[in-house]
Amino acid sequence: MALFKKYLFNTLGFCLIAIIGFTFIFGYNQNVQAASNPGIVFGINTNTYWEDGIMKTALTKPSLNNDTTYIPLRLVSEYLGKTVKWNQDDFSATISDPTTGKWIIFDQKYNYATTETGENIQLKRNPFIQDECYMVPLRIMSEYFGCSVYWHQDTEGIIINKAPTEQEKISYQGLVMRFQDRGYFQDGLGKEALTKLEIFNGTSYLPLRIVSEYLGAKVTWNEADDTATLTMPESTKTITFNKASIYATTDSGNIQLERAPFVQDDCYMVPARIITEFFGCTITWNQDMMSFLITKTDTPQEAKNLVFSQMQNRLAIINTLTSFRQSEATGYQMVINRTNPIPANFIAGTGKLISVRGQQMETNAGIALQQMINGLSAANMSIQVRSGYRTDATQIYLYNRQVGRQGNNRLKAATISALPFTSEHQAGLAIDLSSNGSLTEAFGSTQQGKWLAAHCADYGFIVRYPQSKTQITGVTWEPWHFRYVGSPEVAKSITASGLCMEEYYNKYLAPQDINPYLPYL
């Protein structure tokens, strides 16, 4: 186990994501491309991150100090398009926006940042150097330049998006928030709430501060009786909420609520629909995403769909982060080769096997295989499942048989049949497929072979041993051999990179290089 563990990237935690999504971030569920859902996503305890849908590796990991995320200044400044001027004499860095002229200075000697207005912004700790990287508080810098920063608690991921343009602000008018999600969008700008939206008998309760600030309503608090009164600009209408009452009091009478207002995570929670409808605003519920949208005036459905699409993008990022963490935690993305053998009696992922067309595979790999076979059937093609999970004894037998066929040339035999404990079949993650029962290079030219090469990533598989990468993989071209890597998102990213698995992890994920096989071939 220790032999391959050192080549695995660390558990994904405090992000990036977009950090996500990122990351979000990129329409991962459909297509991993930089043009889809742009964003940057980080994770705690890992130097792996995503930038516009591309996995990359930083020189260091994010650092969480007093609930504040510190990340390498270079990464976030380059992504946001800001310029950095260093002053080696006083260990300070000036980050400026070439378009607006705004700037902010961080100095390792001080626990505050200085801006062009002369304002000092208090920090919870001084900037610092970590692994030769200048670490600055992400939220301070990004929010100062008007960018979106969102923390997703479940995946411990941070998603950063660039500030919306003026045109985008017009296009994304509205306040959109998802049930049981601390993040929300306000006129195209992603933000983080202190608590989650709650629903009682079909009525959405959300923090009073969020909805009042968006609507531009003035809030008057009365600490003596726990009441909050809202008034709108240029309006005589008022509505008052009381934690001790299921009625909201207005200048025109009382409105009965589903339940009394309450405090949740130090937030005063009030019924969104009551407020918005009382002041003549609109509220729209999207069942698919369990999200609602508040707009100050009625808007066409097309415009509402555009606003909801932001939430959909973030959900794609969150799903990607979740999938990535699950894959990472269960070993779906481990590199298995001569440099990284697996232990005896090892099965990746769930540690359990299921049968597909008479061959066994790790449970989730098997489910994905069946879905891929269904895809082939839908394309009017049949396939034969030749070889899935192999016991240690079976792999030992196959390798020794190949050694005999190659005149006891063990190195040459290993290019055809993997050494015992270096075969992906032994982990339950590999499957060999055939159109006619045989496993030959000709399979790559068949209809089935071409379809699988083009679509296997949609199901979480990659062509593990490409024709042009034999000098690196140490294995001859095997167009019939497909490796499960845990999710379509990761499979698409590897495939789109044009790299074999060893190269991909060396470049993006591995904490140290995975040795190539030269001069084995």
Side-chain angles (χ1 to χ4, degrees):
M1 181 75 72
L3 289 175
F4 68 81
K5 270 189 174 179
K6 65 179 180 178
Y7 295 105
L8 302 181
F9 43 90
N10 297 324
T11 301
L12 181 65
F14 161 59
C15 205
L16 178 313
I17 325 47
I19 315 203
I20 106 250
F22 268 304
T23 137
F24 313 148
I25 181 177
F26 8 90
Y28 273 137
N29 289 339
Q30 301 298 326
N31 200 3
V32 177
Q33 295 181 355
S36 302
N37 301 329
I40 188 168
V41 181
F42 283 87
I44 233 174
N45 295 326
T46 177
N47 56 358
T48 299
Y49 71 101
W50 287 264
E51 183 174 329
D52 291 341
I54 302 298
M55 283 185 183
K56 297 185 178 182
T57 302
L59 294 177
T60 191
K61 304 170 186 177
S63 176
L64 187 61
N65 291 272
N66 297 322
D67 295 325
T68 299
T69 307
Y70 282 73
I71 65 171
L73 172 60
R74 181 186 62 81
L75 293 182
V76 69
S77 61
E78 288 182 359
Y79 173 72
L80 297 177
K82 313 306 177 188
T83 59
V84 179
K85 182 179 179 180
W86 300 97
N87 188 326
Q88 298 297 333
D89 295 332
D90 61 4
F91 302 104
S92 67
T94 302
I95 304 94
S96 58
D97 188 321
T99 302
T100 66
K102 295 183 66 174
W103 52 261
I104 187 170
I105 298 177
F106 294 99
D107 192 317
Q108 291 183 69
K109 300 190 299 294
Y110 304 112
N111 64 347
Y112 59 84
T114 304
T115 73
E116 81 283 351
T117 63
E119 174 191 9
N120 289 334
I121 302 176
Q122 189 71 36
L123 311 179
K124 291 189 176 181
R125 68 159 292 179
N126 299 21
F128 56 94
I129 300 294
Q130 177 176 287
D131 299 325
E132 299 184 1
C133 294
Y134 197 91
M135 306 293 285
V136 296
L138 167 63
R139 187 170 299 280
I140 297 296
M141 192 174 87
S142 56
E143 290 189 352
Y144 182 72
F145 289 116
C147 305
S148 297
V149 179
Y150 167 64
W151 165 262
H152 187 248
Q153 183 68 36
D154 295 338
T155 58
E156 294 185 304
I158 284 187
I159 304 167
I160 310 168
N161 287 109
K162 298 175 183 178
T165 64
E166 292 304 316
Q167 182 58 45
E168 287 172 335
K169 289 179 181 177
I170 295 174
S171 301
Y172 290 103
Q173 291 295 306
L175 175 71
V176 59
M177 191 171 186
R178 181 172 176 260
F179 178 56
Q180 288 296 303
D181 191 348
R182 292 177 185 266
Y184 66 101
F185 287 98
Q186 181 173 318
D187 291 343
L189 196 62
K191 298 186 177 183
E192 177 189 356
L194 295 176
T195 192
K196 301 177 181 179
L197 162 71
E198 295 290 349
I199 299 179
F200 296 96
N201 296 328
T203 299
S204 303
Y205 280 70
L206 76 162
L208 173 61
R209 180 187 61 81
I210 291 177
V211 68
S212 61
E213 287 184 357
Y214 174 69
L215 296 177
K218 178 183 177 181
V219 179
T220 302
W221 296 95
N222 188 329
E223 300 292 344
D225 59 4
D226 287 325
T227 62
T229 300
L230 281 73
T231 57
M232 290 285 280
E234 302 178 358
S235 173
T236 59
K237 300 181 68 174
T238 64
I239 184 169
T240 300
F241 296 96
N242 188 323
K243 288 195 325 183
S245 175
I246 62 169
Y247 292 96
T249 304
T250 76
D251 51 287
S252 57
N254 292 338
I255 302 175
Q256 186 167 353
L257 313 178
E258 293 290 338
R259 65 163 291 181
F262 56 96
V263 174
Q264 177 174 283
D265 300 324
D266 294 326
C267 295
Y268 197 90
M269 307 292 286
V270 293
R273 187 175 301 279
I274 299 297
I275 297 176
T276 55
E277 292 186 353
F278 179 73
F279 288 121
C281 305
T282 63
I283 184 165
T284 305
W285 175 258
N286 185 307
Q287 182 64 32
D288 292 337
M289 288 183 286
M290 295 290 286
S291 304
F292 74 82
L293 167 68
I294 296 174
T295 53
K296 297 174 183 177
T297 58
D298 197 13
T299 57
Q301 187 59 46
E302 182 178 351
K304 294 179 181 179
N305 292 341
L306 184 61
V307 179
F308 277 123
S309 70
Q310 290 188 298
M311 188 64 73
Q312 184 64 60
N313 289 346
R314 182 157 65 196
L315 290 178
I317 293 166
I318 293 172
N319 289 338
T320 295
L321 289 173
T322 302
S323 176
F324 187 85
R325 288 194 66 189
Q326 290 173 344
S327 296
E328 178 190 38
T330 51
Y332 290 124
Q333 298 175 28
M334 66 174 63
V335 174
I336 302 173
N337 57 25
R338 292 173 221 169
T339 308
N340 308 286
I342 58 176
N345 303 312
F346 175 79
I347 300 173
T350 61
K352 299 179 180 180
L353 301 169
I354 62 171
S355 179
V356 180
R357 296 279 188 92
Q359 293 291 332
Q360 290 183 308
M361 288 196 77
E362 184 276 333
T363 300
N364 289 323
I367 293 172
L369 171 62
Q370 184 59 63
Q371 293 172 342
M372 188 162 68
I373 292 173
N374 294 343
L376 269 166
S377 297
N380 297 316
M381 285 178 275
S382 61
I383 198 73
Q384 294 185 28
V385 180
R386 294 285 296 157
S387 182
Y389 168 73
R390 297 174 190 162
T391 64
D392 296 350
T394 297
Q395 189 62 39
I396 292 171
Y397 165 76
L398 292 174
Y399 172 71
N400 288 334
R401 185 179 67 177
Q402 193 60 235
V403 170
R405 290 177 176 178
Q406 301 303 324
N408 290 323
N409 186 330
R410 292 184 174 274
L411 288 180
K412 187 174 182 180
T415 68
I416 302 171
S417 182
L419 288 163
F421 307 107
T422 72
S423 171
E424 297 175 332
H425 287 283
Q426 287 177 266
L429 298 178
I431 193 69
D432 294 339
L433 301 175
S434 172
S435 59
N436 59 10
S438 62
L439 300 177
T440 67
E441 294 179 358
F443 178 72
S445 300
T446 64
Q447 280 188 314
Q448 293 92 328
K450 292 177 180 179
W451 188 95
L452 286 166
H455 296 284
C456 66
D458 295 336
Y459 304 92
F461 289 89
I462 62 170
V463 178
R464 178 63 176 91
Y465 304 116
Q467 186 174 16
S468 61
K469 303 295 182 178
T470 57
Q471 291 283 68
I472 298 172
T473 64
V475 178
T476 56
W477 181 35
E478 293 189 357
W480 63 83
H481 180 106
F482 298 90
R483 158 69 190 270
Y484 184 67
V485 293
S487 73
E489 294 76 27
V490 175
K492 289 177 182 179
S493 186
I494 295 174
T495 301
S497 73
L499 306 174
C500 65
M501 201 164 188
E502 283 82 359
E503 291 176 303
Y504 186 87
Y505 280 87
N506 283 350
K507 184 172 182 179
Y508 294 120
L509 300 175
Q512 62 189 75
D513 281 355
I514 296 170
N515 296 333
Y517 284 132
L518 290 174
Y520 289 166
L521 297 180

